[in-house]
Amino acid sequence: MTSLEENLSKIPNPCYVMEEDLLRRNLSLIQSVAERAGVEIILAFKAFALWKSFPIFRQYIQHTTASSPYEARLAYEEFGSKAHTYSPAYEDETFDEILRCSSHVTFNSLSQYERFAPRARAAGVSVGLRVNPEYSEIETELYNPCAPGSRFGSLSPAADVDGIHIHNHCESSAEAFVRSLRHVEEKFGAWFPKLKWINFGGGHLMTRKDYNVELLVSTLLDFRRRYPHLHVILEPGSAFAWQTGPLLARVVDIVENHGIRTAILNVSFTCHMPDCLEMPYQPEVRGASQEGEGFKYRLGGNSCLSGDVMGDWWFDHELQIGEPIIFEDMIHYTTVKTTMFNGIHHPSIGMLHSDGTFELYRQFRYEDYRDRMC
């Protein structure tokens, strides 16, 4: 029995439950890579932004990356350091707020760079440009920022930026980074002597069990030997919160139609796991399989949307109303993409600490739904 299962009675249901031991395991590995390779690894808010856990993060990292005024403000006011900010397009009316909360600002295009860089330099903010190496090994087109026609990154350099940002990975391997780096150096290497920093973006899933951490470290060390003047930055999202905790739900009814039994849950895939509907992956369910023998159920959400279902699952027993259902690995990306569509009650959020105590970060109420509507 896991620590989570031992403490179910302490935790409201539904709830996103982050487990401190698992989080610290990831943070320790990331800190080790950064120290051994002599690089900086920062947290991307697009994948994880549970700010009440930032005191733990600050024991391992110093900075974060933002892509909007709200995220930049979260970095500055809640994490306690200015953000490395990149946005596909900055706007006049919010750019001063971006500058107030940022140490670095990266532009997506030469036109944005020409328009806003003077203001950034006047504010003492380091200026960068996102560049597109036109190479990526991401197989799913939806994830690929280097696909033909991509709106991300300039194909041409700017002469006087402080740094460049390259993002062409998604839950990728160290081997993919090695191959990608060759293309980056071939295309932009002549520019490197003029730069102060280079940001290799996100998608480096170094906390995955099969990731070749030693290859990543040796590759980064070799790069730094070739370009010792460059400050090297990585900004993974998923790697920080990868497999750090589940979404706890329960069965509220079981219905049958044409021989298909659906277990209706007190959570919604549309509202609480939208990434699992819009992206080509499904969550794992503890104690269940999507193929095999046993008792077959379709898992259904509690919204009125017909498509609020998530596949067919086999259990080794008949499900009972009130029984807990645990969706694995629901902290990274999932928690930042949730909605309150249909007025569906939002799961609580909390931390299961190493000593077995549960800290409730937040419990959502009617007023949270109401205040999002106007």
Side-chain angles (χ1 to χ4, degrees):
M1 183 177 291
T2 67
S3 176
L4 173 70
E5 290 165 323
E6 291 172 348
N7 290 282
L8 286 179
S9 61
K10 304 176 184 177
I11 303 172
N13 189 315
C15 187
Y16 298 100
V17 184
M18 187 162 49
E19 299 183 58
E20 182 181 354
D21 286 343
L22 301 180
L23 177 63
R24 287 189 181 275
R25 175 200 63 191
N26 285 357
L27 289 168
S28 294
L29 186 148
I30 289 169
Q31 182 184 52
S32 171
V33 169
E35 291 176 349
R36 291 164 58 203
V39 303
E40 183 173 22
I41 304 178
I42 62 181
L43 169 66
F45 284 159
K46 70 176 184 178
F48 180 89
L50 299 182
W51 56 270
K52 287 191 176 180
S53 67
F54 286 173
I56 294 176
F57 277 77
R58 285 196 295 266
Q59 297 173 31
Y60 300 86
I61 63 171
Q62 284 72 52
H63 296 99
T64 59
T65 179
S67 292
S68 66
Y70 288 171
E71 285 189 342
R73 185 174 173 181
L74 191 73
Y76 189 36
E77 297 183 3
E78 300 298 341
F79 198 87
S81 61
K82 292 190 173 185
H84 292 236
T85 303
Y86 158 80
S87 175
Y90 297 105
E91 300 174 87
D92 275 317
E93 57 267 32
T94 56
F95 193 62
D96 285 342
E97 178 74 345
I98 290 282
L99 294 178
R100 181 182 75 88
C101 300
S102 303
S103 60
H104 297 63
V105 167
T106 296
F107 299 100
N108 184 61
S109 67
L110 289 174
S111 59
Q112 282 261 303
Y113 163 75
E114 291 166 0
R115 180 179 175 187
F116 289 108
R119 286 167 63 180
R121 288 196 180 93
V125 174
S126 186
V127 171
L129 180 71
R130 178 166 175 169
V131 294
N132 184 346
E134 299 184 275
Y135 176 85
S136 175
E137 298 185 16
I138 299 172
E139 295 180 357
T140 303
E141 194 79 354
L142 185 65
Y143 295 165
N144 188 357
C146 297
S150 172
R151 72 188 194 279
F152 294 125
S154 172
L155 302 179
S156 303
D160 57 349
V161 295
D162 299 321
I164 58 173
H165 176 119
I166 300 146
H167 179 56
N168 61 337
H169 296 286
C170 178
E171 298 185 359
S172 300
S173 66
E175 290 79 6
F177 177 59
V178 171
R179 293 186 289 270
S180 169
L181 189 56
R182 297 192 195 108
H183 289 263
V184 170
E185 289 193 73
E186 287 174 7
K187 187 164 185 176
F188 303 111
W191 201 15
F192 289 178
K194 305 173 186 178
L195 303 176
K196 298 177 181 177
W197 52 265
I198 185 168
N199 186 329
F200 287 119
H204 309 275
L205 194 48
M206 62 191 76
T207 52
R208 187 174 59 198
K209 287 183 180 179
D210 62 350
Y211 191 93
N212 191 338
V213 173
E214 297 309 313
L215 178 59
L216 175 65
V217 171
S218 63
T219 301
L220 290 169
L221 282 171
D222 187 54
F223 181 85
R224 290 187 58 248
R225 278 192 288 269
R226 296 197 301 278
Y227 308 101
H229 69 289
L230 285 178
H231 178 61
V232 177
I233 305 162
L234 284 74
E235 50 176 49
S238 294
F240 280 94
W242 181 260
Q243 295 185 340
T244 56
L247 171 59
L248 178 62
R250 67 169 176 261
V251 178
V252 294
D253 196 15
I254 297 173
V255 299
E256 186 168 343
N257 186 334
H258 283 66
I260 298 174
R261 288 191 294 180
T262 299
I264 300 178
L265 310 177
N266 65 337
V267 295
S268 162
F269 298 99
T270 297
C271 297
H272 308 141
M273 294 168 269
D275 52 317
C276 297
L277 290 180
E278 68 184 15
M279 304 301 186
Y281 67 86
Q282 290 188 343
E284 293 185 12
V285 178
R286 189 172 300 187
S289 172
Q290 288 198 285
E291 56 183 36
E293 299 179 350
F295 299 89
K296 181 180 177 181
Y297 294 89
R298 181 165 296 170
L299 298 183
N302 59 344
S303 80
C304 295
L305 188 70
S306 297
D308 193 1
V309 294
M310 185 56 68
D312 297 330
W313 297 82
W314 276 260
F315 294 80
D316 63 3
H317 63 281
E318 290 198 71
L319 296 181
Q320 303 296 316
I321 293 174
E323 180 174 343
I325 300 291
I326 299 174
F327 293 96
E328 306 284 15
D329 198 20
M330 289 285 102
I331 302 300
H332 65 94
Y333 275 102
T334 304
T335 55
V336 297
K337 288 193 169 188
T338 60
T339 75
M340 297 184 79
F341 164 74
N342 220 169
I344 296 298
H345 181 72
H346 200 75
S348 301
I349 302 175
M351 172 80 78
L352 182 60
H353 287 291
S354 302
D355 61 3
T357 60
F358 177 74
E359 180 184 357
L360 182 63
Y361 281 170
R362 186 168 180 188
Q363 200 157 28
F364 295 86
R365 306 186 186 282
Y366 159 74
E367 289 77 12
D368 298 297
Y369 164 71
R370 181 198 64 194
D371 293 345
R372 288 175 70 147
M373 295 301 101
C374 64

